[in-house]
Amino acid sequence: MDWGKQNRISSIIKPDTGKTVMLAVDHGYFMGPTSGLEKLDEAVNPLIPYADTLMLTRGALRYYIDPGVRIPITLRVSGGTSILNKEAMLHEGIVCNVEDAIRLNASCVAFSILVGAEYERDTILAFTEVIDEATAYGIPILCVTAVGREMARDARYMGLASRMGAELGADIIKTYYVPGFDKVVESCPVPVVIAGGKKIPEKAALEIARNAIDSGAIGVDMGRNIFQSTSPVGMIQAVRAVVHKGASVKEGLEIFKSVRDKEAGKAIKAKAKPKKARAKK
Ligand code: 5RP
């Protein structure tokens, strides 16, 4: 692997642990102002210190993120359909070229392939175009697999889609945790991270992260289970402890609760202050 690509990958996958916490906030590219990301900057800024990379679209990056930020960017470069188009949802093509990704100082580009969908061929051929272009400049490619309601979410499917992504040239695979995940990881020659999926209780999301890491995943690329949490900062710290520090679900949950409770305490104090001030007068 070329030095530049290795260097970019090592900015995302931390060399000391070999793991990564990717924060996915790219949902707007097909879902619009997703719940929790209506004001993307306000949602994301407090989370940046705890994420190893920020995964988002070029529009979100330009409109919401301070260019002075010190975090590697994973830029989504596929898209083309919306959540409203149920028939062709995620029939994606290239929506951002590698030249613009370089202009944005992206450390990685992300592309979704729809293995098994009617239009799999279109997504796969567009994906390989991005791979050719990105590889020429030493930019790593994250292959997003298995998004979409109709995708059979079992280890056999995840294994097939992940292996395809790798053989087509991806450097990192993003997929979903399923029972038997160790088989998915074993048969994939490149690192695997998991998406979080729809919001579920914090404990369940931490369990998925723990199980995925124990099965050989090198991290998470998680969105809604962090930014839609009652305490996004607490949740990302908990996920980080699970991924990088080998924390158990119980330990992760304790981190989450302690941050959440501290935040709640501060909010109560802040509310109480003006009342006291009024009482003095
Ligand atoms: C969609 C994506 C999203 O980034 C992905 O869904 C991750 O977010 P979440 O954890 O909310 O599922 O790649 O194609």
Side-chain angles (χ1 to χ4, degrees):
M1 200 187 282
D2 183 62
W3 192 94
K5 194 188 250 194
Q6 277 187 52
N7 180 258
R8 289 184 180 94
I9 289 183
S10 72
S11 73
I12 292 174
I13 302 173
K14 295 293 148 194
D16 52 339
T17 61
K19 304 270 187 323
T20 184
V21 173
M22 309 176 86
L23 177 63
V25 291
D26 59 326
H27 305 62
Y29 88 96
F30 77 112
M31 287 165 65
T34 311
S35 170
L37 293 181
E38 294 88 345
K39 293 182 179 169
L40 194 139
D41 46 352
E42 288 176 18
V44 166
N45 284 339
L47 304 176
I48 285 178
Y50 308 103
D52 296 317
T53 180
L54 195 54
M55 179 192 185
L56 75 180
T57 61
R58 62 174 161 184
L61 187 57
R62 286 198 166 106
Y63 299 133
Y64 290 107
I65 305 297
D66 181 343
V69 76
R70 311 301 314 164
I71 188 167
I73 298 300
T74 296
L75 195 70
R76 172 165 284 280
V77 296
S78 70
T81 55
S82 79
I83 196 168
L84 302 178
N85 185 349
K86 304 276 181 235
E87 256 125 72
M89 200 167 86
L90 304 170
H91 185 166
E92 300 192 353
I94 301 166
V95 296
C96 173
N97 64 20
V98 171
E99 192 186 330
D100 206 30
I102 292 168
R103 200 174 289 122
L104 286 164
N105 198 25
S107 296
C108 184
V109 290
F111 197 101
S112 291
I113 59 167
L114 269 286
V115 174
E118 198 187 324
Y119 32 81
E120 65 173 8
R121 186 169 190 274
D122 294 350
T123 63
I124 288 170
L125 294 187
F127 172 58
T128 52
E129 265 181 58
V130 171
I131 289 180
D132 285 337
E133 214 190 333
T135 304
Y137 294 100
I139 312 269
I141 304 107
L142 171 75
C143 173
V144 181
T145 70
V147 180
R149 256 174 251 129
E150 74 277 21
M151 297 298 129
R153 297 220 172 134
D154 58 26
R156 200 158 163 254
Y157 173 79
M158 300 302 174
L160 185 150
S162 301
R163 177 64 175 262
M164 279 183 67
E167 293 219 14
L168 290 163
D171 299 287
I172 308 172
I173 300 291
K174 169 175 172 173
T175 190
Y176 290 85
Y177 175 78
V178 282
F181 201 70
D182 48 337
K183 298 273 180 309
V184 178
V185 175
E186 266 166 36
S187 58
C188 183
V190 299
V192 177
V193 296
I194 57 144
K198 274 195 174 161
K199 174 77 179 73
I200 51 176
E202 279 75 12
K203 181 168 181 268
L206 292 172
E207 271 164 7
I208 288 176
R210 183 69 269 153
N211 289 341
I213 299 293
D214 290 344
S215 305
I218 57 121
V220 299
D221 187 9
M222 205 176 252
R224 288 164 288 181
N225 277 292
I226 292 174
F227 64 74
Q228 290 178 352
S229 166
T230 46
S231 169
V233 172
M235 188 57 181
I236 197 167
Q237 289 189 49
V239 170
R240 199 169 178 83
V242 167
V243 170
H244 282 292
K245 298 207 169 122
S248 65
V249 173
K250 191 169 169 268
E251 288 164 337
L253 209 54
E254 276 161 16
I255 293 172
F256 165 72
K257 284 181 180 162
S258 108
V259 176
R260 182 198 59 189
D261 295 349
K262 241 185 236 162
E263 287 171 346
K266 272 190 197 157
I268 291 170
K269 267 191 193 163
K271 259 192 176 175
K273 254 190 191 162
K275 268 190 191 163
K276 269 189 194 165
R278 267 201 302 275
K280 272 185 190 167
K281 279 180 192 173

